[in-house]
Amino acid sequence: QKPQSRLLSYQLHRDSFALRRIVKSNNSPTDRHSIVSGLGTQVTLAEYRFRYTTTMDNSTKRITPNKQSLDDAYNPPANFLEINLTDARTQGEGRQRFTDYKLSMKTNLPIFKLKESNVRRRYSDFKWLRDELERSVHIHLPSLPGKAFARQIPFLKSDDGIFEVEFIEERRRGLEEFINVVCGHPLVQSEQSLHVFLYEPVLDKQNYVPGRVH
């Protein structure tokens, strides 16, 4: 027999046995009616329990995920903004010596008119951007890598100061982390200073006019 048939047969057997006891007893007709009604309720509840259990079993079946196509796997994410600092170069002589980095940006965010850009930026350019954002956007901004004043006096150590290869790489990682964190904030993304910083080959800091991009 099926599980439902076995369950109902067992319940009906118990009910018929109880009903025979009621007939042989001296209970009043009213009592008999109440007990018989209760038996009917038990049968109904048994059917309900079976249906409930069956429903729960079907609802807890493992959901098989849809297979990902190659196009879905290799398409770019819905929204992305990637900024990398590479190709550190030390230029100039004496007190005019400095190190700059190649800044490469790729994005598909609508707020950026150009989806790709490549410019060169030095530490002082990042400081200019942070100062501008601090004046115009009232949010907590991450710190820039330290200035390392001791390294600016090479003769204190047996290395090349701030132009030592290891220090340049350490600063590059810090600047890259800074710009990616800053650019991820929606309020910063609409600031004119950020767009100038990312797009303009040469920063014209003297003639820069603060504003917002819409």
Side-chain angles (χ1 to χ4, degrees):
Q1 289 180 317
K2 295 182 179 180
Q4 184 179 17
S5 301
R6 289 201 300 269
L7 178 61
L8 293 178
S9 297
Y10 173 73
Q11 187 65 46
L12 290 172
H13 177 74
R14 289 184 56 193
D15 294 345
S16 62
F17 176 75
L19 188 58
R20 287 198 298 271
R21 292 186 60 186
I22 295 170
V23 173
K24 293 179 181 180
S25 68
N26 297 323
N27 291 333
S28 65
T30 304
D31 294 336
R32 295 176 189 174
H33 176 73
S34 299
I35 296 174
V36 172
S37 299
L39 294 175
T41 303
Q42 290 178 5
V43 175
T44 304
L45 288 176
E47 294 175 349
Y48 172 76
R49 282 197 296 271
F50 177 77
R51 291 196 301 270
Y52 177 75
T53 304
T54 303
T55 304
M56 288 297 292
D57 290 342
N58 292 335
S59 65
T60 54
K61 288 182 178 178
R62 183 180 296 275
I63 299 174
T64 304
N66 295 327
K67 292 184 178 180
Q68 189 180 38
S69 67
L70 289 177
D71 289 339
D72 294 335
Y74 289 98
N75 279 340
N79 292 308
F80 72 93
L81 174 61
E82 298 175 357
I83 300 177
N84 298 310
L85 285 187
T86 58
D87 189 25
R89 297 179 185 175
T90 298
Q91 307 177 43
E93 298 291 338
R95 298 179 64 86
Q96 303 300 320
R97 197 178 180 193
F98 66 92
T99 300
D100 65 1
Y101 309 86
K102 179 183 177 181
L103 186 149
S104 302
M105 185 272 288
K106 291 184 179 181
T107 185
N108 64 354
L109 296 176
I111 191 68
F112 296 99
K113 62 181 181 179
L114 297 179
K115 304 310 178 186
E116 294 187 19
S117 68
N118 292 282
V119 294
R120 299 200 67 86
R121 294 290 180 258
R122 55 189 293 186
Y123 183 90
S124 59
D125 298 332
F126 285 85
K127 186 178 185 309
W128 172 85
L129 173 64
R130 191 183 189 283
D131 292 343
E132 289 295 329
L133 293 175
E134 198 168 36
R135 282 191 286 267
S136 57
V137 184
H138 301 291
I139 62 172
H140 174 73
L141 295 170
S143 301
L144 289 168
K147 290 284 289 184
F149 290 105
R151 282 187 172 271
Q152 296 183 31
I153 309 176
F155 61 80
L156 291 180
K157 293 184 178 182
S158 58
D159 58 26
D160 204 16
I162 60 174
F163 303 109
E164 182 75 13
V165 174
E166 292 182 359
F167 178 76
I168 291 175
E169 172 59 20
E170 180 182 346
R171 173 171 280 187
R172 184 201 65 77
R173 290 196 301 266
L175 293 174
E176 185 177 74
E177 180 180 358
F178 165 82
I179 192 61
N180 276 282
V181 172
V182 166
C183 287
H185 200 290
L187 292 179
V188 174
Q189 290 174 2
S190 60
E191 285 298 315
Q192 182 70 23
S193 57
L194 176 64
H195 289 250
V196 170
F197 178 85
L198 294 176
Y199 295 143
E200 297 298 328
V202 179
L203 282 180
D204 189 359
K205 302 173 186 177
Q206 300 297 326
N207 297 315
Y208 166 75
V209 179
R212 295 181 65 81
V213 176
H214 301 286

